[in-house]
Amino acid sequence: MDLVFDASPEDLKVFVQEAEELIQQTDENILRLEKEGEDPELIQEIFRAAHTIKGSAGMLGHERMAQLMHAWETLFDKVRKGELSVTAELIDILLDCLDALKVLKDECYTLKSSGIDIAPLSSKLLSFAEGTVIQAKDDAPTEMTLDDEDIQAISLAEIGGSSAYRMVIKISENSPMPSVRLYQVVEELQPLGQIMKSNPSMEAIENAECGTDLELILITDEDQSRIESIVKSISELSSFTIDAFQDEAEAPKEQAKPAKSKTKGKKTSETDAAAETQSTATVADERILDRGPEARGKSQQETTQIKAAPIKTVRVDVERLDHLMNLVGELVIGKTRLLSIGSELADNYHLGDISGILNEVTAQIGQITNELQEEVMRARMLPIEQVFNKFPRLVRDLARNVGKEVNFVLEGQETEIDRSVLEEIGDPLIHLIRNAIDHGVETPEERKKAKKPSEGNVYLGARHEENHIVVEISDDGKGMDAQKLKEKAIKKGFITPEAAERMSDRDAYELIFLSGFSTADKVSEISGRGVGMDVVRNNIKKINASIEIDSELGKGTKFMIKLPLTLVIVDALTVVVEDKLYAIPLSMVKEVLHLEKDDIKMVERLETILLRGSVLPLLRLNELFGNSGCGRNCDDLHVVVVGYGDNKVGIVVDSLVSKMEIMIKALGDYLGGIDGISGATILGDGRVALVIDPVSLISKVDTQRTISTQTVDFGKKSKRKKIA
Amino acid sequence: MSQEQAFEQDQLVVFEVGDESFGIDISLVQEIIRLQPITEVPKAPMHVKGVINLRGKVIPVVDLIERFGFSSSEETKATRIVVVNVLGNTVGMIVDAVSEVLRLSIDSIEPPSSIVESVGSQYLKGIGKLEERLIILLDLDKLLAEMGAKAIGDFAGLSAVA
């Protein structure tokens, strides 16, 4: 079904952008709400965002979106007024709504109905609002009628050194017999001290005349954490809160509506006005989809209020930036070409002054080009936040799904990275974080057994390091068992037992990148189908990045991804192999060696050399690329050592040419992916040189090494002997 | 259909490979350039000669002379690269010479028959008759798709499954 909106394509674009921002912001805010509790300002912000979306959706005529947001508002209004407390269920519903909202928003792009039915969601929202409101009203009398005697008893107890706690306990809706659970709660709590008052009353609980909620005041000598741990040990609880009881006489009343009273205190005049607008708008919107001029006016007013902060940025179409970057790339090539022409003129023709002037101009253009390149690159940079943002939600959902407690720490969101890299990094990160939660972090019970806090930590951070961005994902879970990995690899036929024996732990971890290798004993919904990690590595390879694993059994696992700052322009070393020019990205070049023929040892048909005591396999490009292999007889050899971390390989070349900036251009679909080549570049003289992809060369050697029983490992063994 | 046919005249770029004339729809042709130094790409599909620099763009070049089974004749001054836009790719084709651009009315085009041996009939759109000459009309979509990585990729996919 095609959708028609009351707006020009331009307006739609603006709306979608605005909605995207608001949805993302709300997504974060809701998670904060769950974590930090009911902060009136936060609630106000969520409310305002929802209201803005509703207003604009109404204007566009996106009725379902407006309807959903209206229901959301109704519910959230209750939260704002303190009539509804923030519970896990509430958060769940809100997040579900946001997901639906995202789909609805996308309809504005596609102009096709997604077929999503929002009726159940909005009725769920409304009934949630209604239901809990009624409950709150029911609760109110019992809770509020702490008579003077009770309060006196509490203060007496407090003078006696005990403390009073007000607890709210909710049993999961799925529990078959909530009353039994509540009874269990009471039973567990009674030994701790005295239960002053409860709602529902003790008799009601004993007679099973109660719902899923329990509110009580407990006077006890125990401290809060002990109570918490006791309550936590009861299963089927959906949520509970424990607060110290406030001993002022008016405390109960205050407690009933804390949010509202605080809100009033803190409100600035501006938000006050906004709140007023909202309440009138809400009234107006009671006629749900009657988008009268009145409602329109209000929401516009609302929008302008949000946009009041001065913005000094301009939205630029991504394609335009890409094009700009391409042009700059051409300019860089042109600059390089000018330089070579200049030096040729100076060398071969006696032009005197004019050649000097040319060089001067070239240098100047070069400088401007460099600056331009830097600026354009910077304009393409985005904070990695854009990718990181979606993870708190992902982690929360995953952890809940698998029943694990996860403390997720994000760091370095402000680190800027090229758009092209940013686009590619999302999926691998999702995979790695899923793995960390699914395989890394243990269940709370397992963690307790291992004498760890029941809450696992998952860390995701980004930082600058030299010419790279390093993204680190770590967990303090069970770590990887190198032995287990090897056994699995043997069982699956990836390696032989002999090879496994000689394999270092670090190499064993790398096994998880093999396609079809999965360490999970059980295949879960989330991960463990063995399609994950090889995809991760491929994606990472694709963007010229590298990944390293560090793991300690029982302590956790760490993945380090080293990303290039940009994918487009890189420094490269140009080399000649059999009259053909190749460029090797300088970021991967470790060193350049000069060898003689005799330095090369043949280890099972694989050429290797000993480099400062460690074994370095050699590769000959011409043989690899299927050309005639006549170069083996040369006496003098140049070897470019490329690699990352411990993975190194030497590329034998005929000669080194120079270091230069190149712009990597994809070879395109037509040629398909070619092993060992990541693209092409145009040199100063207009010729095309192929760009070597060291990562795929290394993995090529790796597979040879892993699969073959006796190749390079043989060399390692002899080295050990020597040391012994 | 009939109305369209009455008005339609195909404008063709005609080029020579070996001793045969081939025609392709002019709208597919981006430009025609002289032969340039070609950088070989290892392990590229069989008839892909390599890549060239087309004003800052790197584009693949295929050798039609080889593909059509003519022994790769010496490069001459007439040798050209016909740059075409097909299937979202810009591809250069090496041909022996580009002779002309001409109009051919639809009714002088005959459906392909099996007479033409050099090209598999699946790449033929038809045979154009122009006075005494016969021009082989090529279905570039199919021809270039077959010469590119797609077909090779499919093959690799099959072997991976097996």
Side-chain angles (χ1 to χ4, degrees):
Chain A
M1 189 178 92
D2 287 349
L3 292 174
V4 181
F5 294 113
D6 297 348
S8 67
E10 289 303 307
D11 288 349
L12 264 181
K13 230 176 176 175
V14 172
F15 167 72
V16 169
Q17 277 168 355
E18 189 186 73
E20 253 166 25
E21 270 169 28
L22 288 171
I23 291 171
Q24 180 59 42
Q25 182 197 340
T26 308
D27 210 36
E28 286 162 33
N29 283 341
I30 286 176
L31 292 182
R32 265 179 66 199
L33 189 67
E34 186 181 34
K35 226 176 181 176
E36 297 167 15
E38 295 161 31
D39 172 8
E41 273 178 40
L42 195 59
I43 291 172
Q44 188 66 32
E45 205 176 313
I46 298 173
F47 190 93
R48 211 183 296 154
H51 189 77
T52 310
I53 296 176
K54 182 176 94 171
S56 336
M59 263 195 289
L60 289 181
H62 201 322
E63 296 186 7
R64 288 175 305 153
M65 190 187 268
Q67 198 181 334
L68 182 67
M69 291 325 283
H70 175 73
W72 169 296
E73 244 183 26
T74 314
L75 173 66
F76 226 77
D77 192 43
K78 297 275 197 285
V79 178
R80 193 165 59 144
K81 289 179 180 149
E83 289 170 17
L84 198 61
S85 58
V86 177
T87 59
E89 287 95 359
L90 180 77
I91 300 281
D92 280 342
I93 292 182
L94 293 179
L95 289 178
D96 284 348
C97 271
L98 270 186
D99 290 341
L101 193 59
K102 284 172 198 163
V103 177
L104 291 174
K105 175 213 65 187
D106 288 342
E107 287 180 0
C108 299
Y109 277 125
T110 57
L111 298 181
K112 289 261 180 337
S113 174
S114 58
I116 191 169
D117 185 10
I118 54 118
L121 256 181
S122 52
S123 67
K124 203 168 157 194
L125 279 172
L126 290 173
S127 68
F128 199 84
E130 290 306 315
T132 328
V133 168
I134 292 161
Q135 241 169 32
K137 274 178 193 159
D138 281 350
D139 287 355
T142 344
E143 189 212 336
M144 294 319 136
T145 50
L146 275 180
D147 49 34
D148 290 349
E149 246 180 71
D150 291 334
I151 292 168
Q152 216 168 357
I154 292 168
S155 41
L156 270 178
E158 276 177 339
I159 293 163
S162 311
S163 9
Y165 292 104
R166 180 172 168 272
M167 307 177 57
V168 179
I169 290 153
K170 284 193 197 302
I171 304 294
S172 149
E173 277 173 35
N174 303 328
S175 167
M177 299 180 83
S179 58
V180 176
R181 292 290 171 206
L182 286 181
Y183 187 67
Q184 196 188 349
V185 172
V186 175
E187 281 284 299
E188 294 277 346
L189 289 177
Q190 241 156 7
L192 298 177
Q194 186 198 356
I195 296 177
M196 271 299 296
K197 196 102 193 176
S198 72
N199 171 43
S201 67
M202 304 285 275
E203 291 92 328
I205 296 173
E206 274 166 40
N207 298 332
E209 294 165 3
C210 56
T212 55
D213 298 1
L214 170 69
E215 191 163 358
L216 57 82
I217 290 167
L218 175 73
I219 297 176
T220 174
D221 294 336
E222 303 286 349
D223 62 332
Q224 195 167 337
S225 56
R226 167 115 175 87
I227 304 173
E228 253 175 50
S229 66
I230 286 173
V231 177
K232 263 189 198 163
S233 67
I234 297 163
S235 51
E236 294 187 277
L237 288 192
S238 70
S239 74
F240 69 90
T241 57
I242 302 176
D243 300 304
F245 184 79
Q246 296 172 355
D247 62 346
E248 298 94 357
E250 63 273 23
K253 271 176 211 160
E254 277 258 321
Q255 272 175 352
K257 294 181 177 178
K260 193 174 187 182
S261 54
K262 270 191 213 159
T263 321
K264 272 197 177 149
K266 284 186 184 173
K267 249 183 223 162
T268 61
S269 59
E270 190 193 308
T271 46
D272 228 332
E276 261 175 44
T277 327
Q278 274 160 1
S279 52
T280 36
T282 319
V283 173
D285 288 340
E286 288 301 329
R287 290 164 271 148
I288 303 176
L289 294 168
D290 175 17
R291 302 177 310 281
E294 189 190 356
R296 266 188 219 191
K298 299 275 194 247
S299 46
Q300 266 166 352
Q301 199 179 326
E302 179 74 14
T303 319
T304 40
Q305 267 179 9
I306 285 185
K307 284 189 173 166
I311 302 171
K312 278 193 173 175
T313 53
V314 180
R315 280 183 205 276
V316 181
D317 199 322
V318 165
E319 274 173 31
R320 199 164 282 178
L321 273 182
D322 282 349
H323 187 57
L324 206 56
M325 189 66 179
N326 262 326
L327 290 178
V328 171
E330 301 302 326
L331 212 52
V332 170
I333 293 164
K335 177 200 77 181
T336 320
R337 208 166 164 183
L338 264 180
L339 279 174
S340 66
I341 291 173
S343 61
E344 199 181 316
L345 283 179
D347 291 348
N348 302 334
Y349 306 89
H350 301 286
L351 295 174
D353 285 352
I354 195 85
S355 128
I357 293 170
L358 176 69
N359 281 342
E360 210 172 281
V361 174
T362 309
Q364 197 186 350
I365 289 179
Q367 207 163 3
I368 296 170
T369 311
N370 284 349
E371 240 169 85
L372 191 63
Q373 182 191 336
E374 231 166 76
E375 283 305 313
V376 174
M377 261 170 70
R378 203 165 294 157
R380 284 166 52 98
M381 297 282 228
L382 287 172
I384 204 164
E385 200 176 359
Q386 298 226 340
V387 168
F388 279 16
N389 269 343
K390 56 183 170 192
F391 289 123
R393 168 81 190 276
L394 182 89
V395 169
R396 175 191 180 275
D397 289 358
L398 275 179
R400 270 174 78 103
N401 272 350
V402 294
K404 292 177 182 176
E405 292 169 31
V406 174
N407 175 35
F408 185 55
V409 181
L410 266 179
E411 221 175 72
Q413 295 102 302
E414 70 290 341
T415 314
E416 289 196 327
I417 194 162
D418 192 89
R419 230 199 72 248
S420 48
V421 185
L422 200 69
E423 276 166 3
E424 299 291 337
I425 193 65
D427 286 346
L429 284 183
I430 290 177
H431 261 297
L432 290 173
I433 286 184
R434 279 183 171 173
N435 274 344
I437 292 168
D438 207 29
H439 304 319
V441 175
E442 312 93 326
T443 58
E445 294 80 48
E446 281 172 332
R447 288 184 69 89
K448 268 180 206 156
K449 266 186 219 158
K451 299 210 169 80
K452 290 183 190 177
S454 64
E455 195 180 50
N457 287 302
V458 173
Y459 170 88
L460 174 65
R463 61 176 182 273
H464 264 282
E465 217 168 75
E466 290 166 32
N467 244 340
H468 293 274
I469 303 280
V470 175
V471 176
E472 188 182 315
I473 301 117
S474 61
D475 63 69
D476 63 348
K478 53 181 173 254
M480 286 196 282
D481 189 338
Q483 206 50 47
K484 225 171 158 183
L485 288 171
K486 287 182 195 171
E487 279 164 23
K488 192 132 198 164
I490 296 169
K491 218 163 87 191
K492 295 212 169 183
F494 288 121
I495 51 170
T496 62
E498 294 82 26
E501 207 173 297
R502 284 192 293 267
M503 194 178 258
S504 70
D505 281 2
R506 199 173 271 258
D507 284 345
Y509 300 145
E510 302 262 325
L511 286 171
I512 61 169
F513 290 123
L514 290 176
S515 151
F517 191 93
S518 170
T519 54
D521 295 327
K522 272 182 283 173
V523 169
S524 76
E525 194 190 327
I526 301 155
S527 50
R529 288 203 188 87
V531 289
M533 291 310 279
D534 58 320
V535 175
V536 168
R537 172 133 93 176
N538 286 345
N539 277 7
I540 284 174
K541 254 167 61 177
K542 215 166 74 191
I543 52 172
N544 228 341
S546 62
I547 181 164
E548 282 174 44
I549 314 175
D550 206 359
S551 186
E552 198 175 330
L553 196 57
K555 293 267 176 67
T557 307
K558 183 159 94 178
F559 289 91
M560 301 253 282
I561 303 174
K562 234 179 174 187
L563 299 167
L565 283 179
T566 177
L567 300 180
V568 191
I569 296 178
V570 295
D571 275 333
L573 183 71
T574 44
V575 298
V576 175
V577 182
E578 285 195 339
D579 299 333
K580 294 195 185 81
L581 266 171
Y582 294 94
I584 306 174
L586 209 58
S587 58
M588 299 295 278
V589 175
K590 296 278 173 195
E591 61 186 307
V592 178
L593 308 171
H594 189 93
L595 296 179
E596 276 170 22
K597 198 180 155 197
D598 296 342
D599 294 334
I600 300 177
K601 311 269 182 298
M602 291 300 285
V603 183
E604 278 292 307
R605 289 171 60 212
L606 215 73
E607 288 181 302
T608 51
I609 52 164
L610 271 179
L611 176 63
R612 289 187 292 275
S614 60
V615 174
L616 183 75
L618 292 187
L619 275 180
R620 288 184 188 262
L621 286 184
N622 47 354
E623 287 172 21
L624 191 70
F625 292 152
N627 296 332
S628 58
C630 58
R632 284 202 176 190
N633 298 321
C634 279
D635 275 342
D636 277 354
L637 291 169
H638 294 276
V639 173
V640 181
V641 182
V642 294
Y644 53 89
D646 289 345
N647 303 298
K648 279 185 207 160
V649 65
I651 299 174
V652 182
V653 301
D654 294 345
S655 65
L656 304 167
V657 183
S658 67
K659 189 203 114 175
M660 62 189 287
E661 272 181 331
I662 59 163
M663 181 167 180
I664 300 184
K665 302 191 176 232
L667 284 178
D669 305 341
Y670 195 74
L671 287 169
I674 291 167
D675 244 9
I677 302 283
S678 61
T681 188
I682 295 167
L683 300 174
D685 58 4
R687 275 187 299 166
V688 180
L690 298 177
V691 182
I692 303 281
D693 173 16
V695 182
S696 75
L697 291 184
I698 290 167
S699 64
K700 215 177 177 83
V701 174
D702 270 359
T703 19
Q704 275 173 343
R705 188 162 54 169
T706 325
I707 289 168
S708 162
T709 50
Q710 27 175 252
T711 50
V712 180
D713 288 315
F714 195 73
K716 272 187 184 165
K717 209 175 178 186
S718 66
K719 179 192 103 196
R720 273 189 218 117
K721 262 184 202 161
K722 233 185 249 171
I723 293 165
Chain B
M1 275 302 271
S2 59
Q3 221 181 7
E4 269 179 40
Q5 267 183 3
F7 287 101
E8 187 102 357
Q9 263 189 330
D10 265 1
Q11 212 173 357
L12 301 174
V13 172
V14 179
F15 55 81
E16 319 284 328
V17 175
D19 46 16
E20 286 173 12
S21 299
F22 294 87
I24 52 173
D25 191 342
I26 197 167
S27 64
L28 299 173
V29 179
Q30 181 185 320
E31 60 195 290
I32 296 161
I33 54 174
R34 287 178 188 281
L35 196 63
Q36 299 200 350
I38 296 175
T39 304
E40 276 180 47
V41 177
K43 296 185 180 173
M46 193 165 66
H47 298 295
V48 176
K49 279 296 241 191
V51 289
I52 57 164
N53 165 18
L54 181 71
R55 291 190 309 281
K57 266 190 183 164
V58 174
I59 63 164
V61 174
V62 297
D63 193 345
L64 283 195
I65 307 170
E66 226 179 83
R67 169 63 187 85
F68 292 160
F70 296 100
S71 56
S72 47
S73 48
E74 285 292 302
E75 279 170 27
T76 64
K77 276 192 170 175
T79 308
R80 291 288 183 277
I81 297 177
V82 180
V83 180
V84 292
N85 288 310
V86 173
L87 306 166
N89 291 299
T90 306
V91 181
M93 307 187 297
I94 305 175
V95 301
D96 281 331
V98 175
S99 39
E100 64 204 300
V101 173
L102 51 80
R103 284 176 189 277
L104 202 62
S105 60
I106 294 278
D107 42 297
S108 61
I109 296 174
E110 275 189 13
S113 66
S114 52
I115 322 164
V116 184
E117 287 166 13
S118 57
V119 195
S121 57
Q122 65 265 40
Y123 309 124
L124 295 192
K125 264 186 177 163
I127 311 283
K129 286 181 297 183
L130 195 78
E131 291 151 21
E132 291 302 295
R133 297 167 59 195
L134 289 181
I135 295 164
I136 303 165
L137 305 181
L138 288 174
D139 186 339
L140 273 189
D141 281 6
K142 280 188 189 156
L143 178 65
L144 289 181
E146 179 245 14
M147 290 171 79
K150 284 266 166 59
I152 297 234
D154 286 346
F155 182 70
L158 279 176
S159 63
V161 169

